[in-house]
Amino acid sequence: MNNLEHLTTETRNTNTMNLDEMSVMDILKTMNAEDQQVPLAIGKVLPQIEAVVQQIIQAFNQKGRLIYMGAGTSGRLGVLDAAECVPTFGTEPEMVQGLIAGGMKAMTVAVEGAEDSASLGEEDLKAISLTKEDIVIGIAASGRTPYVIGGLDYANAIGATTATIACNTNAAISQHASFPIEVEVGPEILTGSTRLKSGTAQKLVLNMLSTVAMIGIGKVYKNLMVDVRPTNEKLVERAKRIIMQATDCTYEVAEQTFIEADQNVKLAIVMILTGMEKEVAAEKLVDANGFIRKTV
């Protein structure tokens, strides 16, 4: 586990051997060129990403949760993606969760030794009462983090679905998951600084997983965030605009129906599209499992 030489994420980038002597513009151009490799690398593993999305949708449909696990940058990205699901898709905080080695204080400061503990990964999953209906996604740029491996082994033991995101091929964590994703983006311009290309790759994959899974359970109509939570003035106005865009109605109609629907964007849209009263529209939406298209 301590041999880093074979990890692409730890090797030196031949394009930046004299990074400290390059001009600012040359460094920026090099970074930009290196970053452009990331989406191309992701494009090569879309079938693996698709398989994980399907598993997330299945978990959600059986009232299971999506749990991200990681240490350092990987853990922080998981926590970020989980947190963004609440305002974007109107989910409960428990539905998508991010666990980071060392707990939430590790979001801003390094917690020594936390990522090296396999037992801590298991303990963190026990603390949230993991069940076999849940899916656990371990995130590790190196693909070898003991905290993640410990969590995956526990998840497998209780029958939960397991997946991984690594930035090396033949990653150790891939051997501990049923649905591994390996995005090899090549050496970083700053050797071993996996918050760069590896972090970007992880962020893009996480964007795909959560967004497409939410589309798959009816939280999007056309290309609109119809389950957005209007928790501030900006989001209230966005909610009204979404209603207008979804139904081609006027601002006044959108605002009035938004109020009548108790600020439930999706319900307001169904009310306008079907002409139904709130209670009937709400029942129709439940029967359609939350898919607006199935109500009209």
Side-chain angles (χ1 to χ4, degrees), residues 216-267:
I217 60 169
K219 289 187 170 292
V220 170
Y221 175 58
K222 297 184 176 180
N223 63 348
L224 300 170
M225 296 186 293
V226 291
D227 262 333
V228 64
R229 281 192 180 176
T231 53
N232 58 42
E233 189 174 328
K234 180 191 77 173
L235 291 177
V236 166
E237 288 307 308
R238 177 181 289 172
K240 295 173 188 174
R241 192 167 68 251
I242 288 171
I243 295 169
M244 291 170 64
Q245 292 169 329
T247 64
D248 291 325
C249 73
T250 64
Y251 180 88
E252 290 72 25
V253 170
E255 184 173 46
Q256 180 60 37
T257 312
F258 180 59
I259 294 169
E260 290 176 11
D262 301 322
Q263 295 199 332
N264 183 318
V265 176
K266 186 182 281 185
L267 180 57

Side-chain angles (χ1 to χ4, degrees), residues 6-290:
H6 68 288
L7 301 178
T8 304
T9 50
E10 298 293 332
T11 57
R12 296 180 70 185
N13 191 318
T14 56
N15 295 326
T16 60
M17 297 299 273
N18 298 306
L19 189 64
D20 58 333
E21 294 182 328
M22 294 167 65
S23 70
V24 170
M25 182 53 73
D26 283 344
I27 296 172
L28 293 174
K29 287 180 178 178
T30 302
M31 284 190 76
N32 183 238
E34 291 286 332
D35 287 344
Q36 289 178 48
Q37 297 176 24
V38 176
L40 298 177
I42 291 173
K44 296 176 182 177
V45 295
L46 289 179
Q48 288 84 356
I49 296 172
E50 178 192 25
V52 177
V53 170
Q54 298 288 8
Q55 292 302 311
I56 298 171
I57 293 172
Q58 183 174 312
F60 286 161
N61 284 336
Q62 59 191 18
K63 307 303 180 186
R65 300 166 295 174
L66 167 57
I67 313 297
Y68 297 129
M69 293 190 75
T73 299
S74 299
R76 294 182 189 104
L77 289 169
V79 171
L80 173 64
D81 195 74
E84 293 287 356
C85 286
V86 176
T88 306
F89 299 109
T91 61
E92 295 301 322
E94 296 77 24
M95 185 173 173
V96 183
Q97 298 182 44
L99 300 178
I100 181 170
M104 282 303 139
K105 64 181 178 179
M107 286 294 291
T108 54
V109 296
V111 178
E112 288 188 27
E115 72 174 72
D116 298 327
S117 173
S119 61
L120 186 59
E122 178 177 341
E123 290 169 17
D124 283 356
L125 289 177
K126 286 181 176 178
I128 63 167
S129 302
L130 188 77
T131 74
K132 61 182 176 61
E133 282 75 32
D134 299 326
I135 178 169
V136 175
I137 301 182
I139 314 167
S142 67
R144 56 187 286 281
T145 308
Y147 171 80
V148 172
I149 290 174
L152 291 169
D153 286 346
Y154 174 70
N156 285 323
I158 69 164
T161 303
T162 52
T164 51
I165 305 170
C167 294
N168 285 291
T169 55
N170 302 312
I173 61 171
S174 298
Q175 309 306 313
H176 298 260
S178 298
F179 298 91
I181 299 169
E182 296 180 341
V183 186
E184 188 167 42
V185 295
E188 304 289 0
I189 69 153
L190 183 62
T191 307
S193 183
T194 52
R195 70 186 183 88
L196 301 177
K197 285 192 298 184
S198 294
T200 300
Q202 292 171 336
K203 177 69 167 67
L204 291 176
V205 173
L206 290 169
N207 285 350
M208 289 176 163
L209 295 179
S210 56
T211 303
V212 182
M214 292 296 174
I215 294 169
I217 60 169
K219 289 187 170 292
V220 170
Y221 175 58
K222 297 184 176 180
N223 63 348
L224 300 170
M225 296 186 293
V226 291
D227 262 333
V228 64
R229 281 192 180 176
T231 53
N232 58 42
E233 189 174 328
K234 180 191 77 173
L235 291 177
V236 166
E237 288 307 308
R238 177 181 289 172
K240 295 173 188 174
R241 192 167 68 251
I242 288 171
I243 295 169
M244 291 170 64
Q245 292 169 329
T247 64
D248 291 325
C249 73
T250 64
Y251 180 88
E252 290 72 25
V253 170
E255 184 173 46
Q256 180 60 37
T257 312
F258 180 59
I259 294 169
E260 290 176 11
D262 301 322
Q263 295 199 332
N264 183 318
V265 176
K266 186 182 281 185
L267 180 57
I269 291 170
V270 174
M271 288 170 64
I272 295 171
L273 290 178
T274 64
M276 296 175 176
E277 297 297 320
K278 181 174 73 172
E279 290 75 15
V280 181
E283 289 179 11
K284 186 89 168 176
L285 199 49
V286 170
D287 291 341
N289 292 318

